[in-house]
């Protein structure tokens, strides 16, 4: 199938892009196109116009500071994954990105686009939520910071307004002495996960985030829960559903097994992480 007709804009300044979006409530932002173009081709999305961000200067940045990692709207998954500085500051970002799609898709798809797309089967929304990160958005009305906890409203639904552009995402650095881990099960490498788990162990605090298990990224507090009981404790706070990819029973079993394994590995990496890594 071919997309329904749409106008195409390729602005060269942010102001022009924001004004174009403000003038047409049915226009959509185009970043890497790896999720939007398939939706257009299947006619599941029929925007009146596309506002292509790829001509805008200064959005392809990856900035690493003591506070964490700021990824610009045009930084590709592959560039973020390749950054040794990112891996040092917040290893969970790199661990999870290694599971995002295939290399060709990572070369074009953007990490910020993945967050705005708000797919609960995607890795990065869960990572942002678990780490307590945020997204910086702009519109003709001004700029605002949206905390991860307020970003994901439902399946493929973020709290970004139709006329807003997400300029960057911020992933807080891993605190000294903390540990992280990520693992997922997919039918083939590069497929969306049937179930994925990210874990953050920081001092006594232990939390885990789940991919493909609920409609929005969900984080469960497992502080104080002993090994062997973590999978069941996580499951008690989740309600995995069945779909064409996996039954609810199988997905629940993946939650049990992966939670135990990933939390254990985050706790071990906490001990293994040397002070120079932080
Ligand atoms: P686009 O496709 O350009 O846009 C996606 C949506 O976000 C659109 O609604 C667009 O309007 C909006 N948008 C994008 N950027 C902005 C912005 N800066 N401001 C405002 N709105 C914006 N992803 C995974 O996480 N895990 C996977 O395993 C995975 N597997 C994949 C397998 C295949 C075969 C394909 C085709 C894709 C897969 N993806 C997967 C999706 C991929 O990660 C996309 O790159 C990502 O979801 C969207 O990024 P994008 O830059 O391509 O966004």
């Amino acid at each position: 199938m071919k997309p329904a007709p749409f106008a195409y804009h390729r602005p060269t300044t942010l102001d022009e892009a924001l004004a174009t979006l403000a003038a047409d409530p049915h226009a959509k932002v185009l970043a890497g196109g790896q999720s939007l173009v398939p939706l257009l081709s299947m006619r599941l999305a029929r925007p009146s116009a596309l506002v292509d961000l790829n001509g805008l200067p200064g959005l392809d940045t990856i900035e690493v500071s003591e506070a964490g990692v700021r990824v610009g709207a045009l930084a590709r998954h592959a560039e973020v994954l390749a950054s040794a500085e990112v891996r040092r500051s917040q290893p969970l970002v790199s661990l999870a990105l290694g599971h995002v799609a295939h290399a060709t898709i990572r070369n074009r798809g953007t990490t910020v686009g993945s967050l705005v797309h708000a797919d609960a089967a995607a890795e990065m929304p869960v990572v942002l939520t678990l780490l307590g990160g945020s997204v910086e958005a702009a519109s003709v009305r001004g700029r605002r910071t949206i905390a991860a906890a307020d970003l994901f409203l439902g399946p493929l639904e973020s709290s970004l307004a139709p006329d807003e552009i997400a300029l960057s995402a911020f992933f807080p650095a891993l605190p000294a002495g903390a540990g992280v881990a990520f693992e997922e099960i997919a039918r083939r490498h590069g497929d969306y996960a049937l179930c994925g788990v990210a874990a953050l162990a920081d001092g006594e605090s232990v939390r885990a985030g789940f991919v493909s298990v609920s409609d929005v990224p969900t984080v469960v507090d497992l502080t104080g829960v002993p090994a062997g009981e973590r999978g069941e404790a996580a499951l008690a706070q989740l309600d995995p559903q069945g779909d064409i990819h996996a039954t609810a029973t199988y997905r629940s079993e993946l939650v049990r097994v992966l939670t135990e394994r990933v939390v254990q590995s985050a706790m071990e990496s906490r001990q293994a992480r040397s002070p120079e890594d932080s």
Side-chain angles (χ1 to χ4, degrees):
M1 225 198 241
K2 286 183 182 155
F6 55 83
Y8 174 77
H9 303 281
R10 192 177 165 96
T12 51
T13 67
L14 180 60
D15 284 349
E16 188 191 343
L18 295 175
T20 309
L21 281 173
D24 181 353
H26 302 295
K28 259 200 157 320
V29 166
L30 175 71
Q34 299 303 298
S35 295
L36 183 55
V37 172
L39 290 176
L40 295 178
S41 297
M42 290 185 279
R43 299 205 174 190
L44 293 171
R46 288 166 164 255
S48 52
L50 292 187
V51 179
D52 186 349
L53 299 186
N54 291 278
L56 298 184
L59 291 185
D60 59 351
T61 49
I62 301 171
E63 293 163 8
V64 181
S65 67
E66 245 177 58
V69 177
R70 184 167 292 281
V71 176
L74 289 176
R76 313 292 162 175
H77 292 311
E79 293 162 341
V80 184
L81 178 57
S83 166
E85 272 189 293
V86 170
R87 190 172 291 268
R88 231 181 341 265
S89 170
Q90 183 43 266
L92 187 59
V93 168
S94 317
L95 287 172
L97 272 172
H99 292 273
V100 172
H102 313 272
T104 42
I105 290 158
R106 292 199 295 266
N107 283 341
R108 191 67 191 163
T110 65
T111 301
V112 171
S114 171
L115 296 169
V116 177
H117 191 53
D119 190 342
E123 289 78 2
M124 302 319 287
V126 170
V127 168
L128 193 81
T129 305
L130 179 62
L131 297 176
S134 59
V135 161
E136 190 75 24
S139 70
V140 289
R141 298 179 303 284
R143 295 193 180 206
R144 65 179 178 131
T145 301
I146 309 169
D150 302 322
L151 184 61
F152 305 108
L153 300 182
L156 301 181
E157 190 188 357
S158 82
S159 58
L160 224 70
D163 67 343
E164 280 184 308
I165 294 176
L167 298 178
S168 65
F170 179 70
F171 298 90
L174 191 63
V180 285
F182 186 94
E183 217 179 299
E184 70 178 39
I185 301 288
R187 289 208 182 276
R188 296 167 304 186
H189 181 74
D191 279 3
Y192 281 102
L194 299 175
C195 173
V197 180
L200 170 63
D202 184 8
E204 294 301 306
S205 159
V206 176
R207 295 184 310 129
F210 294 83
V211 178
S212 289
V213 170
S214 41
D215 286 348
V216 290
T218 304
V219 171
V220 163
D221 193 336
L222 295 171
T223 307
V225 181
E229 294 175 26
R230 292 177 187 132
E232 215 51 58
L235 208 47
Q237 298 181 59
L238 299 163
D239 184 19
Q241 301 291 310
D243 57 23
I244 55 164
H245 305 293
T247 63
T249 309
Y250 180 52
R251 195 163 264 135
S252 299
E253 187 56 18
L254 292 180
V255 167
R256 274 192 203 94
V257 171
L258 285 180
T259 303
E260 294 290 344
R261 205 190 280 172
V262 176
V263 167
Q264 187 61 34
S265 140
M267 294 176 93
E268 283 166 12
S269 91
R270 181 181 57 178
Q271 286 144 16
R273 208 171 136 81
S274 68
E276 308 86 76
D277 289 335
S278 49

